[in-house]
Amino acid sequence: QVRLVESGGGLVQAGGSLRLSCAASGRIFSINAMGWYRQAPGKQRELVAAINDGGSTNYADSVKGRFTISRDNVKNTVSLQMNSLKPEDTAVYYCNAGILNTGGYYPRDYWGQGTQVTVSS
């Protein structure tokens, strides 16, 4: 089956940086948009950044200018470079991708297991 595996989370002080990576594997025919979501305790899951198959990007206002999303269509990976981190960025970050499986009839959303990002003040 298709899997998304995140890496790169951890503990960092405010003002620091982290780089998250997500690798998709399995019987993949094509990948449409890829993105990063996050969920803090007691809050709803929210979109942080997304990038479509043409390279166009969207960012949440709260991270604009600090985070950069990128993808490698050969390796089927998506990354999130996070700079100038703030305590309010603390959350579990989830990789998301719209993927058409080989032999599939329609694309569907896949999710990674999540990686914890903690920013201390």
Side-chain angles (χ1 to χ4, degrees), residues 28-112:
I28 298 169
F29 184 80
S30 63
I31 302 177
N32 298 322
M34 306 183 79
W36 291 92
Y37 289 74
R38 68 186 181 188
Q39 187 166 24
K43 293 188 176 182
Q44 296 283 91
R45 181 186 63 188
E46 65 174 347
L47 177 67
V48 178
I51 182 168
N52 69 12
D53 54 353
S56 296
T57 58
N58 287 301
Y59 297 93
D61 288 342
S62 60
V63 308
K64 202 168 297 182
R66 299 188 297 122
F67 292 8
T68 303
I69 189 170
S70 60
R71 65 189 285 172
D72 186 328
N73 293 327
V74 175
K75 296 182 177 180
N76 289 334
T77 59
V78 60
S79 297
L80 185 69
Q81 178 66 46
M82 305 185 293
N83 298 326
S84 301
L85 283 162
K86 304 174 181 179
E88 51 263 45
D89 295 319
T90 295
V92 177
Y93 284 70
Y94 296 92
C95 178
N96 170 258
I99 297 174
L100 177 64
N101 293 39
T102 299
Y105 293 103
Y106 54 87
R108 61 194 302 176
D109 282 344
Y110 289 86
W111 295 88

